[in-house]
């Protein structure tokens, strides 16, 4: 992208996030944008990005309702990386316009990702200790074990499970990374789990930063001992200590066990905090 296109993209993304209350581009796509590995089409009305077979489409809030989304979508599909490939697209915030566009082109709703939230003013239970496990902050020597546990814990997760050492280090190079906020569980010389927390800048109109339970990963071989709940609590206590006003986390809508754990800790979900993935069947041609 040219410097002008980058500036337009950043403006549209920022304006859309402020207008819709949620970022229109996820972290993985933004990393790909910075790397220059996405196929992009940026106009003053909006933008489309192809990150592999995943489409991102954002319309400038001031330009909505004039057919720009439909036009950008049609143009994007015409330039899809592989017409026979399964294509996907996220609707961050479950927007009615995205649902209507998907339905008009025969795309199906295939996945829901929930955002759950809890206020930091709500008291936390005490951290629960697990026999033989020590929870501590991240050390550089932990990198290989964190990647191993992550791969095992998210073996069937299309985004998180793909993290390798290079991707781990790139995430750690982000401004928000704090090694004390990446809590690892140490036991018998290995790391059976971790809770990576994340701090967000103070948003306009807020007085305290937002905290995030970024990733909670437990080795399947270590499950059933209460380690996930213990790590979740340890991370929440850490975020409370650094003074966040609210904590959020992401969870698959069909992960009943995780949702029950988070609900038991005071997290709630609203329909507005739902991200929806749509997919086009490989046999369909738009």
């Amino acid at each position: 992208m040219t410097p002008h296109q980058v500036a337009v993209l950043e403006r549209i993304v920022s304006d859309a996030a402020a207008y819709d209350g949620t970022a229109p581009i996820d972290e993985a796509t933004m990393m790909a944008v910075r790397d220059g590995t996405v196929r992009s089409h940026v106009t003053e009305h909006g933008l489309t990005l192809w990150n592999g077979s995943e489409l991102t489409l954002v319309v400038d809030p001031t330009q909505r309702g004039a057919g720009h989304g439909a036009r950008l979508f049609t143009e994007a599909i015409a330039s899809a990386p592989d017409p026979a490939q399964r294509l996907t697209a996220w609707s961050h915030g479950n927007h009615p316009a995205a649902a209507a566009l998907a339905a008009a082109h025969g795309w199906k709703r295939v996945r829901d990702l929930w955002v759950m939230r809890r206020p930091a003013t709500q008291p936390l239970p005490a951290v629960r200790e697990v026999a033989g496990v020590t929870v501590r902050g991240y050390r550089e020597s932990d990198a290989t074990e964190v990647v191993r546990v992550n791969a095992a814990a998210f073996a069937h997760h299309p985004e998180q499970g793909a993290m390798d050492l290079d991707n781990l280090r790139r995430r750690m190079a982000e401004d928000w990374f704090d090694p004390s906020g990446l809590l690892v569980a140490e036991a018998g010389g290995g790391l059976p789990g971790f809770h990576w927390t994340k701090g967000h800048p103070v948003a306009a109109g807020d007085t305290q930063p937002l905290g995030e339970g970024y990733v909670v990963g437990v080795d399947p071989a270590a499950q059933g001992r209460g380690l996930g709940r213990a790590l979740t609590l340890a991370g929440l206590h850490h975020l409370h200590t650094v003074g966040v006003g609210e904590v959020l986390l992401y969870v698959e809508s069909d992960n009943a066990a995780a949702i029950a754990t988070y609900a038991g800790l005071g997290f709630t979900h609203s329909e507005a905090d739902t991200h929806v993935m749509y997919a086009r069947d490989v046999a369909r041609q738009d």
Side-chain angles (χ1 to χ4, degrees), residues 28-40 50-52 170:
T29 302
M30 280 305 302
M31 291 175 71
V33 168
R34 297 188 193 110
D35 290 344
T37 58
V38 299
R39 294 178 57 194
S40 61
W50 282 111
N51 185 16
R170 292 186 64 236

Side-chain angles (χ1 to χ4, degrees), residues 46-241:
L47 60 96
T48 57
L49 305 171
W50 282 111
N51 185 16
S53 60
E54 184 175 294
L55 172 66
T56 295
L57 188 158
V58 187
V59 178
D60 185 321
T62 66
Q63 302 291 317
R64 295 178 183 176
H68 297 301
R71 178 179 55 78
L72 286 167
F73 182 86
T74 300
E75 293 173 352
I77 299 306
S79 65
D82 180 352
Q85 190 175 20
R86 181 177 188 264
L87 305 178
T88 61
W90 281 105
S91 171
H92 298 285
N94 191 18
H95 293 291
L101 190 61
H105 290 268
W107 287 45
K108 305 299 183 183
R109 182 172 180 166
V110 296
R111 183 179 166 200
D112 283 16
L113 183 66
W114 284 8
V115 180
M116 299 185 74
R117 303 174 184 267
R118 79 182 304 277
T121 52
Q122 186 174 341
L124 282 170
V127 175
R128 178 180 178 273
E129 294 186 2
V130 178
V133 174
T134 299
V135 177
R136 59 168 174 79
Y138 173 83
R139 301 169 186 162
E140 288 188 15
S141 58
D142 296 329
T144 300
E145 272 290 273
V146 168
V147 170
R148 180 194 67 80
V149 172
N150 183 83
F154 298 100
H156 303 293
H157 193 287
E159 294 95 15
Q160 184 61 32
M163 184 177 75
D164 56 15
L165 279 171
D166 179 65
N167 185 265
L168 175 72
R169 293 184 176 115
R170 292 186 64 236
R171 298 190 199 197
M172 289 180 172
E174 296 290 325
D175 292 341
W176 56 262
F177 176 65
D178 175 7
S180 68
L182 173 46
L183 302 172
V184 301
E186 185 174 35
L191 303 181
F194 64 90
H195 183 179
W196 195 345
T197 67
K198 181 178 184 179
H200 295 256
V202 179
D206 292 338
T207 58
Q208 293 175 290
L210 176 69
E212 180 180 340
Y214 185 50
V215 187
V216 178
V218 177
D219 190 327
Q223 291 178 355
R225 303 168 56 193
L227 187 55
R229 180 180 173 87
L231 281 166
T232 299
L233 270 172
L236 292 177
H237 277 276
H238 168 77
L239 289 170
H240 281 216
T241 299

Side-chain angles (χ1 to χ4, degrees), residues 10-47:
E10 291 178 344
R11 176 187 62 76
I12 292 174
V13 168
S14 177
D15 289 351
Y19 184 85
D20 298 323
T22 187
I25 298 181
D26 60 29
E27 180 183 62
T29 302
M30 280 305 302
M31 291 175 71
V33 168
R34 297 188 193 110
D35 290 344
T37 58
V38 299
R39 294 178 57 194
S40 61
H41 177 57
V42 181
T43 76
E44 297 297 327
H45 305 301
L47 60 96

